[in-house]
Amino acid sequence: MVEIAEAVRGERDWRDVSAIAKMHDGKIVETRADASDFFWDLDELPMPRWDLLSLKRYWNIARPHGGHFKPGAELRYAPLMTTRGCLFTCSYCHIAGETEESVFGAIGRFRLKSDERALRELAVLKGLGVEQVYIEDDMFLGRKERALRLLRKIQEAGMSISDVNGVNVVHMFRKDALRRYEPDIDIIGALKEAGFHEIVMAFESAAPRVLRKYATNKWDPERMPIDRLIRACKEYGLSIGGNYMLGYPDETRREMQQTIDLARCHKEAGIDWVNFFSVMPLPGTPLFNESVRDGYFSPNFNPDYMDWTKAVFKNTIVPPEEVAVLRKQAWEEWNSKEFRENKVAMAVLA
Ligand code: SF4
């Protein structure tokens, strides 16, 4: 950011600014990331200057992108990131594209801030009047002991947590003496005590082939008893949502139906709502490059028109129009009228 500002002021050549894209002579030109800019130790990053932001204005006009609140509710929230990156590399995710060889550098690597650093940031936010923090980590539960410790300390600091961005299904389980998966009651109890009302879990697909190919095998539909996990969360008074994706480039009708059926089973086990998303090949992800290479997607497509409700691939086994209908039908069929109306109201008010 500082380099960009210097380049805009004419104090530095823009070609020396690390990892930017710029229109030059009618063409988009990218500069590469400078490896020396990479912070392995996140504690070395300067503290964010939140005091320079108009937080009150954000509270009035915007909303965190998750959490439990009513439309129109007064919030005094701010994001907090205690880790960066992720241990998985799902092909539709920006993380998977953020490798050493990429223009961004290896910023997708999983890195953690120390407890002291995370709590220092929290104290600054509290001093600015923030009451709810939204943990933006993509993999907050990646180190469970640390996550449990931090949840406790955030509570002790008198702040409430409105939500965590990334909850991986695998982290909601532990293995018993026979190496079988069982719901991790310590994690569920700690989330509840920290003030959570709801947890949203990313299942993405029910088809093992799809999970293997696109989602780094990040959960195991055959070995993880999701019905028991849902029941355990409900016993702790937590609402549970599930996220599912339809329309992977080579996904078959049968695999899509498997996912819709899985969401139905989750509903029957007590999950509160199920979100269905169209798969989006966002630029910068491996999925984007592979889809262009394999003829599923045009490189000239305007990404501004991508939307999680639209199916944008071409030459797929299931035509995009059918994927869009399947997604909409599943969302309408398996969610209550109240949930659907609330979602629409939140989108309008945000
Ligand atoms: S688990 Fe989530 S954050 Fe991690 S790579 Fe997959 S989609 Fe991205």
Side-chain angles (χ1 to χ4, degrees), residues 86 88-90 92-93 95-96 138 168 204 216 218:
C86 182
F88 293 113
T89 51
C90 307
Y92 45 79
C93 179
I95 298 253
D138 286 311
N168 296 96
E204 324 293 33
T216 351
K218 66 181 176 179

Side-chain angles (χ1 to χ4, degrees), residues 278 309-311 319-329:
S278 285
T309 63
K310 293 184 190 128
E321 303 75 28
E322 197 179 328
V323 175
V325 171
L326 275 175
R327 191 210 68 79
K328 187 165 182 286
Q329 273 176 353

Side-chain angles (χ1 to χ4, degrees), residues 100-119:
E100 223 146 80
E101 303 73 45
S102 73
V103 66
F104 321 101
I107 57 173
R109 275 195 207 162
F110 187 54
R111 293 160 291 156
L112 307 105
K113 289 177 186 167
S114 66
D115 290 12
E116 293 69 32
R117 166 65 190 233
L119 293 171

Side-chain angles (χ1 to χ4, degrees), residues 90-95 97 104 245 278-292 297 301-308 312-313:
C90 307
S91 71
Y92 45 79
C93 179
H94 62 95
I95 298 253
F104 321 101
M245 289 159 73
S278 285
V279 179
M280 289 198 287
L282 293 165
T285 63
L287 182 63
F288 178 88
N289 298 337
E290 287 157 18
S291 305
V292 169
F297 194 65
F301 185 88
N302 183 346
D304 288 346
Y305 293 106
M306 277 189 205
D307 184 315
W308 60 270
V312 294
F313 290 113

Side-chain angles (χ1 to χ4, degrees), residues 91-287:
S91 71
Y92 45 79
C93 179
H94 62 95
I95 298 253
E98 294 163 351
T99 59
E100 223 146 80
E101 303 73 45
S102 73
V103 66
F104 321 101
I107 57 173
R109 275 195 207 162
F110 187 54
R111 293 160 291 156
L112 307 105
K113 289 177 186 167
S114 66
D115 290 12
E116 293 69 32
R117 166 65 190 233
L119 293 171
R120 203 147 52 92
E121 293 188 15
L122 197 73
V124 172
L125 291 172
K126 196 175 175 188
L128 293 169
V130 171
E131 290 171 0
Q132 301 99 15
V133 287
Y134 184 96
I135 299 182
E136 287 283 357
D137 302 30
D138 286 311
M139 197 177 238
F140 180 64
L141 303 178
R143 296 278 181 273
K144 281 195 189 180
E145 287 302 315
R146 170 190 181 272
L148 290 172
R149 209 171 52 231
L150 267 183
L151 285 173
R152 252 192 330 268
K153 288 185 176 173
I154 293 173
Q155 264 176 289
E156 284 163 14
M159 303 281 273
S160 72
I161 301 169
S162 58
D163 207 350
V164 168
N165 180 32
V167 172
N168 296 96
V169 180
V170 64
H171 295 138
M172 299 302 289
F173 287 97
R174 63 183 169 203
K175 290 203 177 142
D176 67 12
L178 297 172
R179 312 281 306 151
R180 291 174 309 206
Y181 286 103
E182 62 176 20
D184 191 334
I185 300 301
D186 291 344
I187 286 287
I188 297 170
L191 292 173
K192 178 65 190 175
E193 263 181 44
F196 277 75
H197 300 277
E198 65 178 35
I199 302 175
V200 184
M201 281 179 276
F203 297 106
E204 324 293 33
S205 173
R209 183 195 71 86
V210 171
L211 287 168
R212 242 187 339 267
K213 179 165 179 184
Y214 295 101
T216 351
N217 244 354
K218 66 181 176 179
W219 77 283
D220 186 338
E222 276 147 23
R223 294 172 60 221
M224 293 177 183
I226 302 297
D227 49 344
R228 282 180 52 210
L229 175 63
I230 293 169
R231 280 199 295 276
C233 290
K234 302 299 287 184
E235 277 167 24
Y236 277 81
L238 292 164
S239 301
I240 315 288
N243 287 344
Y244 312 81
M245 289 159 73
L246 296 175
Y248 296 89
D250 59 355
E251 193 177 15
T252 64
R253 219 171 252 107
R254 191 171 156 272
E255 286 168 332
M256 286 185 207
Q257 192 55 51
Q258 251 179 298
T259 299
I260 295 170
D261 290 346
L262 178 81
R264 179 174 48 75
C265 289
H266 291 171
K267 277 296 282 186
E268 285 164 4
I271 208 167
D272 294 276
W273 66 89
V274 286
N275 279 326
F276 294 91
F277 298 88
S278 285
V279 179
M280 289 198 287
L282 293 165
T285 63
L287 182 63

